[in-house]
């Protein structure tokens, strides 16, 4: 049985798993990422995840460990296997020869990719994208990440510097974005943008929020309970996201748009709102063969996707 280790690095935690070639998880866990400490602390945590899986494997027979796949925030030079930067939520996470470092520490072949690309590849191989070859994947969370699959293969742009779909310019002279630019899609259609909009609306209306943890789930719950402010803000968010997706449809005319992240799991109503907005703004001829659906792999999408990197790139 061929397997691979998948590591999904985030600003708060690392989700990790041993995954077989059918996308089934054989062993999994989660550790703090130590992202606010240092790059070295993050590497140490990654190695501890790998050690846990090796302990699990020590009692098993007949398992061929292919290697390690790591999905990480940031822009990745996949040719030289270096994290260049762009991961604002991880301290010192730039110019890190991550694959080489992990290989030296574990003696296992390692491949590194942007976390959204890993998720997109995972959904293509094992999730909503099976049986499709032309796919655009968006993950909507604190930010917006993206992946583009063309003819069944990841498209990253020249020298692996592209497909930063959350940072497509969206509103000229708009609000500041974490990337340093202004008016990006992420700054308007991410979950963080939804929370910011809702919070600002509460302040304007004199609604106290100090004792409430406002997040995407909180706003969705209020929406489902009929709260008019939550309805206004969520409708605004879905319209922005649908508008951004329409631009991607007009650019790529994919067979499938896959939307991942916590909000995509809010219920059918959410995806229906996004779907209606996207097709309202997209050119009809470009959208003629496009479906829009929620991701299927849930919060393990990044981990399964990272393992799929090892299967697809370490042959």
């Amino acid at each position: 049985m061929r397997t691979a280790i998948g590591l999904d690095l985030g600003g708060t935690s690392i989700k990790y798993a041993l995954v077989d070639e059918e996308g089934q998880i054989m062993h999994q866990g989660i550790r703090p990422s130590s992202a606010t400490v240092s790059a070295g602390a993050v590497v140490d945590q990654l190695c501890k995840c790998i050690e846990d899986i090796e302990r699990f494997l020590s009692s098993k027979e007949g398992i061929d460990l292919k290697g390690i796949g790591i999905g990480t925030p940031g822009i990745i030079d996949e040719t030289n296997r270096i994290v260049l930067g762009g991961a604002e939520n991880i301290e010192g996470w730039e110019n890190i020869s991550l694959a080489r470092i992990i290989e030296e520490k574990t003696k296992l072949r390692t491949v590194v990719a942007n976390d959204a690309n890993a998720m997109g590849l995972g959904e293509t191989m094992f999730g909503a994208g099976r049986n499709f070859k032309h796919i655009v994947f968006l993950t909507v969370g604190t930010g917006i990440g993206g992946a583009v699959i063309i003819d069944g293969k990841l498209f990253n742009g020249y020298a692996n510097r592209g497909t930063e779909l959350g940072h497509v310019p969206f509103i000229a002279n708009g609000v500041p974005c974490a990337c340093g630019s202004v008016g990006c899609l992420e700054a308007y259609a991410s979950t963080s943008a939804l929370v910011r909009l809702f919070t600002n609306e509460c302040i304007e209306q004199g609604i106290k929020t100090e004792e409430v943890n406002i997040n995407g789930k909180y706003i969705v719950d209020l929406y489902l309970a009929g709260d008019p402010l939550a309805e206004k803000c969520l409708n605004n968010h879905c319209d922005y996201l649908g508008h951004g997706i329409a631009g991607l449809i007009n650019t790529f005319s994919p067979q499938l748009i896959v939307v991942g992240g916590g909000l995509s799991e809010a219920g059918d109503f959410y995806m229906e709102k996004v779907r209606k907005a996207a097709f309202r703004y997209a050119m009809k001829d470009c959208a003629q063969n496009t479906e829009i659906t929620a991701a299927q792999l849930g919060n393990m999408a990044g981990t399964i996707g990272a393992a799929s990197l090892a299967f697809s790139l370490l042959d």
Side-chain angles (χ1 to χ4, degrees):
M1 178 188 299
R2 297 209 313 168
T3 64
I5 296 172
L7 298 159
D8 179 18
L9 172 61
T12 302
S13 63
I14 302 168
K15 292 188 284 291
Y16 62 95
L18 180 68
V19 181
D20 69 19
E21 282 191 296
E22 301 300 318
Q24 299 299 307
I25 293 174
M26 301 177 63
H27 179 73
Q28 68 184 83
I30 186 168
R31 293 188 67 89
S33 62
S34 298
T36 60
V37 180
S38 67
V42 172
V43 170
D44 288 344
Q45 291 295 81
L46 289 168
C47 290
K48 288 177 181 177
C49 297
I50 296 164
E51 289 168 4
D52 178 52
I53 291 179
E54 289 180 322
R55 283 192 294 271
F56 169 80
L57 285 171
S58 66
S59 63
K60 307 295 178 182
E61 295 181 357
I63 296 178
D64 176 20
L65 181 57
K66 185 75 175 174
I68 300 168
I70 304 175
T72 169
I75 297 174
I76 314 301
D77 178 348
E78 293 182 8
T79 301
N80 297 305
R81 306 188 304 162
I82 297 171
V83 181
L84 297 173
E88 295 84 4
N89 58 345
I90 302 179
E91 182 68 28
W93 205 240
E94 56 186 18
N95 297 319
I96 305 291
S97 299
L98 186 58
R100 178 183 60 78
I101 291 169
I102 296 297
E103 284 182 343
E104 289 177 352
K105 289 180 176 293
T106 67
K107 311 306 179 187
L108 293 169
R109 296 174 68 200
T110 303
V111 60
V112 176
N114 172 268
D115 52 357
N117 280 349
M119 291 182 191
L121 186 60
E123 285 288 341
T124 298
M125 293 180 67
F126 304 120
R130 286 174 294 183
N131 303 318
F132 294 89
K133 288 191 173 183
H134 298 271
I135 308 166
V136 173
F137 175 80
L138 284 179
T139 176
V140 182
T142 303
I144 291 181
V148 178
I149 309 292
I150 297 177
D151 200 22
K153 299 178 181 179
L154 273 171
F155 172 78
N156 294 324
Y158 181 71
N160 301 300
R161 301 299 204 274
T163 64
E164 288 289 333
L165 302 185
H167 299 291
V168 172
F170 189 60
I171 303 290
N173 302 315
V175 300
C177 182
C179 73
S181 187
V182 297
C184 295
L185 177 63
E186 175 177 299
Y188 286 86
S190 64
T191 305
S192 297
L194 170 61
V195 169
R196 183 178 66 246
L197 174 63
F198 182 82
T199 303
N200 290 341
E201 289 282 345
C202 286
I203 292 171
E204 288 183 10
Q205 297 188 23
I207 300 172
K208 294 183 179 181
T209 62
E210 291 84 356
E211 298 180 1
V212 178
N213 178 26
I214 300 176
N215 54 28
K217 183 180 184 305
Y218 176 79
I219 297 171
V220 168
D221 288 345
L222 285 179
Y223 171 90
L224 294 174
D227 182 87
L229 182 55
E231 181 177 357
K232 173 184 175 182
C233 293
L234 195 64
N235 286 343
N236 183 289
H237 160 83
C238 291
D239 193 70
Y240 277 138
L241 182 58
H243 209 156
I245 289 173
L248 298 173
I249 291 173
N250 292 349
T251 303
F252 295 104
S253 189
Q255 295 169 290
L256 188 68
I257 300 275
V258 179
V259 180
L263 285 175
S264 70
E265 300 173 15
D268 292 340
F269 80 93
Y270 176 81
M271 287 305 304
E272 186 58 28
K273 282 180 176 292
V274 172
R275 195 177 291 116
K276 285 182 178 179
F279 288 132
R280 181 167 68 249
Y281 293 120
M283 296 176 65
K284 290 183 179 180
D285 287 341
C286 294
Q288 184 175 358
N289 300 304
T290 300
E291 299 177 30
I292 301 174
T293 189
Q296 292 182 353
L297 299 181
N299 65 5
M300 293 303 288
T303 309
I304 295 171
S308 73
L309 290 167
F311 291 128
S312 63
L313 299 179
L314 293 180
D315 283 328

